[in-house]
Amino acid sequence: MLTNYLKIALRTLRRHRAYSFINVAGLAVGMAAAVLILLYVQDERSYDRYHVHADRMYRLVTSTQSSTYEAIAKVPGPWGPAVLEDVPEVERAVRFRFLNQTLVSRGEARFYESGAFYADASVFEVFSFPLLRGDAQTALAAPGSVVLTQRIARKYFGQEDPLGRTLTFDSRREMTVTGVMADVPANSHFTFPFLVSRASETDSLQYDWVRLQYYTYLLLKEGAAPEAVAAKVPAVLARHLGPERAADYGPRLQAVPGIHLHSALFREMAPNANVAYVYLFSALAFFILLIACINFMNLTTARSVGRAREVGVRKASGARRGALIGQFLGESMLLSFVALALALALVSLLLPAFNALTGKALSMNVLSDGSFALDLLGITVFVGITAGSYPAFVLSSFRPADVLKGQLQGAGGVRFRKALVVFQFVVSAFFIVAVGAVESQVRYIQSKNLGYNHEHLVIVPIREEAMRQQAETFKQELLKDPGVVRVAASANLPGGGDFGIPLQPEGFLPEEAPSARILAVDPDFLETYEMDVVAGRSFSGEHLTDAGTAFILNESAAKAFGWEQPLGKRIAMEGVDVPPSPVIGVVKDFHFRSMREEIGPLVFFVPPPNWFVVFSVRLRPEAMEQTLAFMERTWARFEPHHPFTYSFLDQQLAAL
């Protein structure tokens, strides 16, 4: 019987080639879109699940009353070891701290590397980062040791064995390669080019119980409840900080596999996604498949009169309705599997463009994954049954007497078919409107006035202390070129680099002071960025007291401090050698972080030159290439040991 049904199905498809092609093509396009979305969703949900102990790995984070933001992904350095020592349910702890951009050199190979970390020696006991060369127990134990990823090892050593060889960091530190690890998988919530032993750190931050500088991960023992561990952390902090100071913090644990989709804390190691997108795209795939199925239903029922005689003859010959339903569902399943084959071919063609759109590296290799193959089978069966069910029930319902007498006026359920068509148009129109809304939103973000002029601003990192001390001289040299409009040095920039130094505005007790972010800049910064001063004045090199003894607020800071007349009010800065100093000006609010965040309180001050890490250079657009070449020559005179590098601020902001 099944063989007979298959023969009839193949003959029907061959006899009506155009109809079959339209049906299969419609299903194939819908299924291809669904498969692409399924690949994306599967990748999003796979983050950090490759770790052997993923179900026991947690990140320690905290909220703090002194922060503008609800919670931060970093905690002070001593917290991890203290929790490991005092909480018996914790098996291992590992800390990471970002390295600044580093000039790495070996012979003639000299490159700036970003995104590296200091890390504890226990990193390979917690994270499943396979070590291809070296001893995982000791690779990061000694000062001056570095573990390279495979990509970086090839970059500097080619086919040579790098173990035991050295790399020079920032032209002065010799680092010994003690291990080579596999490249960090792309589905990780953070990646890096290499890890440096935390024992190589030379500052005192690792002993500071207050400053939030370390990403800290805990490996819990088998069966340990994360809620119980988190409940014990405040007591650990109270023993070391005192109950009052410890009460300022709200420590909690985050499951590592959930960080990518469920965490959006301040100072994340890398931008995370949002689980809402996973749900949104899953719904999108469902509706696209549903539209394809409705196409199939309508086409099949619309030409049902053409198959009426077949149904009448079969019923007159004794065929039962259930058998006819099975036949028509079988035809639809056959078409569904043919469409799946075409959909997979279409996906393989579209995947490079889809990867470029999403910024991922998805591949068809997942077809070998049993769970993904089951998902594909489920999609195919869903499409086959959904698309074929209504036509099967309609076609099998024909009465033989009416068919054979020629009294069939058309398939039943005309209203239902019309409703399906209307539904298709509604869903399609919704998608078109949604795409238009997203496009308009992106265009709005790209063209929105941020409150300062970010175009034609070149950002040049400062590498050496000598350049910091010569910052003013270097600025004057650059200004000799007519293509340079203005130059400013600063310790940070708009776009997420602001500091979180506690402030004590006049009229507030330390524990009551509203939090604010800090931009540490030189006197030319506001003019270089073309920010609007709405009260008072900007910093000026002519006022010697502006350096270290004056503040400028944004409008939100003046409002947060409750100052209707902020000029002359004094602010003290905790932990910085700055006396209580007056406010000399107020700038108009501007977006100094992502536009998804509300503009918060912000304070400017002029620090000592050794704070500066970057120059901002405003160029005239007419001769930018010649001006950049002049800047490179000038840089080489001041800083011959470090290559000249630059970026455009608007490109950095676009990445947000």
Side-chain angles (χ1 to χ4, degrees):
M1 182 181 292
L2 292 176
T3 305
N4 185 46
Y5 285 168
L6 181 61
K7 288 180 179 178
I8 294 173
L10 292 174
R11 287 171 184 169
T12 302
L13 297 179
R14 193 165 50 246
R15 188 180 305 120
H16 305 284
R17 291 186 178 89
Y19 155 79
S20 301
F21 172 78
I22 293 172
N23 255 346
V24 171
L27 291 178
V29 171
M31 293 174 75
V35 170
L36 285 172
I37 292 173
L38 181 63
L39 288 171
Y40 176 87
V41 169
Q42 185 196 49
D43 182 75
E44 288 290 284
R45 295 181 61 192
S46 71
Y47 270 66
D48 297 302
R49 298 185 186 278
Y50 62 87
H51 295 295
V52 174
H53 306 302
D55 60 329
R56 296 191 283 133
M57 294 169 59
Y58 292 84
R59 183 171 70 178
L60 180 62
V61 301
T62 188
S63 56
T64 170
Q65 293 182 6
S66 62
S67 175
T68 309
Y69 301 92
E70 181 180 351
I72 185 169
K74 299 192 289 185
V75 299
W79 285 22
V83 171
L84 176 63
E85 182 178 352
D86 295 350
V87 181
E89 292 91 341
V90 178
E91 183 177 315
R92 292 282 186 275
V94 59
R95 294 166 294 174
F96 297 90
R97 179 186 164 201
F98 270 115
L99 256 72
N100 293 327
Q101 190 177 58
T102 305
L103 177 64
V104 180
S105 56
R106 179 176 184 261
E108 296 299 317
R110 301 171 76 229
F111 301 97
Y112 283 111
E113 304 290 354
S114 300
F117 291 96
Y118 290 109
D120 285 313
S122 56
V123 59
F124 299 109
E125 299 177 77
V126 178
F127 290 82
S128 299
F129 296 143
L131 209 60
L132 308 178
R133 301 280 295 162
D135 184 351
Q137 300 291 326
T138 60
L140 290 176
S145 55
V146 58
V147 172
L148 309 178
T149 58
Q150 198 169 22
R151 176 182 64 85
I152 295 297
R154 289 198 195 100
K155 182 176 180 178
Y156 289 94
F157 295 96
Q159 299 303 316
E160 297 180 48
D161 182 2
L163 217 61
R165 300 181 183 273
T166 60
L167 292 171
T168 304
F169 281 21
D170 291 327
S171 303
R172 60 177 181 272
R173 285 198 298 169
E174 294 294 323
M175 306 295 291
T176 302
V177 179
T178 53
V180 176
M181 57 174 280
D183 292 333
V184 182
N187 58 340
S188 302
H189 74 279
F190 72 101
T191 60
F192 48 83
F194 54 84
L195 296 174
V196 174
S197 64
R198 198 195 51 74
S200 305
E201 291 183 286
T202 57
D203 55 40
S204 60
L205 279 175
Q206 55 191 309
Y207 309 112
D208 192 319
W209 277 86
V210 177
R211 297 181 66 181
L212 308 165
Q213 294 295 324
Y214 287 83
Y215 299 95
T216 301
Y217 293 81
L218 307 177
L219 177 64
L220 306 191
K221 293 181 179 178
E222 292 280 1
E227 299 82 7
V229 174
K232 294 180 179 181
V233 175
V236 175
L237 301 184
R239 283 194 290 273
H240 293 274
L241 289 169
E244 291 186 6
R245 195 64 183 267
D248 290 340
Y249 298 98
R252 59 187 175 90
L253 299 184
Q254 289 181 313
V256 167
I259 289 176
H260 178 68
L261 289 178
H262 299 277
S263 182
L265 303 183
F266 184 49
R267 298 300 192 204
E268 289 283 358
M269 301 172 92
N272 288 327
N274 191 322
V275 70
Y277 296 141
V278 172
Y279 297 141
L280 177 66
F281 291 137
S282 298
L284 179 65
F286 172 76
F287 279 107
I288 290 175
L289 282 177
L290 196 57
I291 288 176
C293 292
I294 292 173
N295 272 334
F296 184 97
M297 293 180 195
N298 286 334
L299 284 169
T300 304
T301 54
R303 61 179 298 276
S304 58
V305 175
R307 301 196 67 178
R309 284 197 177 87
E310 176 189 340
V311 173
V313 170
R314 284 184 170 276
K315 280 196 170 184
S317 302
R320 296 180 179 179
R321 187 182 182 191
L324 292 171
I325 290 174
Q327 176 190 339
F328 291 125
L329 281 177
E331 289 182 12
S332 120
M333 290 294 296
L334 176 63
L335 282 175
S336 183
F337 276 99
V338 173
L340 174 65
L342 293 177
L344 293 178
L346 193 58
V347 167
S348 65
L349 292 174
L350 294 175
L351 205 52
F354 187 72
N355 283 333
L357 176 69
T358 60
K360 290 190 174 290
L362 306 175
S363 72
M364 298 295 289
N365 295 335
V366 293
L367 291 175
S368 59
D369 182 356
S371 63
F372 188 79
L374 286 175
D375 289 339
L376 286 182
L377 180 62
I379 288 175
T380 307
V381 172
F382 168 81
V383 169
I385 293 177
T386 304
S389 57
Y390 178 68
F393 283 101
V394 170
L395 293 173
S396 64
S397 67
F398 294 162
R399 295 170 57 187
D402 293 338
V403 172
L404 297 177
K405 291 178 181 179
Q407 295 177 353
L408 189 66
Q409 299 299 318
V414 174
R415 291 182 180 177
F416 182 66
R417 281 169 37 214
K418 289 181 178 179
L420 291 178
V421 172
V422 171
F423 176 79
Q424 279 184 294
F425 276 104
V426 169
V427 173
S428 301
F430 173 79
F431 285 160
I432 292 170
V433 171
V435 169
V438 170
E439 194 273 338
S440 297
Q441 184 79 347
V442 171
R443 193 182 330 115
Y444 170 77
I445 291 173
Q446 292 175 339
S447 61
K448 173 76 166 61
N449 182 1
L450 299 180
Y452 60 92
N453 185 0
H454 56 81
E455 295 184 350
H456 310 129
L457 268 177
V458 174
I459 307 303
V460 181
I462 301 174
R463 309 294 181 182
E464 288 285 349
E465 182 62 29
M467 176 60 89
R468 295 184 180 92
Q469 299 303 326
Q470 300 180 84
E472 191 59 36
T473 306
F474 180 71
K475 287 169 54 178
Q476 297 306 318
E477 287 296 311
L478 291 184
L479 289 169
K480 292 179 180 179
D481 188 283
V484 176
V485 180
R486 281 190 176 275
V487 187
S490 61
N492 44 15
L493 297 171
D498 42 272
F499 294 151
I501 304 172
L503 300 175
Q504 185 180 349
E506 182 180 318
F508 289 90
L509 296 174
E511 62 273 11
E512 298 174 347
S515 56
R517 306 303 297 176
I518 307 292
L519 286 182
V521 302
D522 78 359
D524 298 314
F525 188 88
L526 271 64
E527 286 71 23
T528 301
Y529 278 72
E530 298 180 4
M531 296 177 179
D532 295 329
V533 178
V534 295
R537 63 176 179 84
S538 179
F539 296 120
S540 173
E542 298 177 359
H543 293 79
L544 298 180
T545 56
D546 283 0
T549 57
F551 292 100
I552 292 177
L553 314 180
N554 71 347
E555 293 172 309
S556 292
K559 187 181 301 181
F561 298 158
W563 293 342
E564 293 185 6
Q565 299 295 332
L567 300 181
K569 298 286 189 181
R570 292 185 172 272
I571 298 176
M573 186 177 289
E574 183 180 325
V576 180
D577 187 19
V578 174
S581 304
V583 174
I584 63 171
V586 178
V587 299
K588 187 175 181 180
D589 275 346
F590 64 94
H591 291 277
F592 60 91
R593 296 192 63 77
S594 167
M595 286 182 62
R596 291 181 295 180
E597 302 176 21
E598 292 185 9
I599 298 175
L602 183 70
V603 175
F604 295 86
F605 87 106
V606 179
N610 61 357
W611 283 50
F612 295 145
V613 298
V614 65
F615 289 110
S616 300
V617 186
R618 179 167 297 283
L619 305 183
R620 300 187 192 280
E622 297 82 17
M624 296 187 73
E625 290 188 11
Q626 297 90 320
T627 305
L628 287 169
F630 167 78
M631 290 171 60
E632 183 171 8
R633 293 193 300 271
T634 306
W635 176 272
R637 297 202 331 258
F638 281 80
E639 183 54 275
H641 301 295
H642 290 80
F644 174 73
T645 59
Y646 67 91
S647 59
F648 285 92
L649 182 65
D650 53 2
Q651 294 175 349
Q652 296 180 19
L653 296 177
L656 292 175

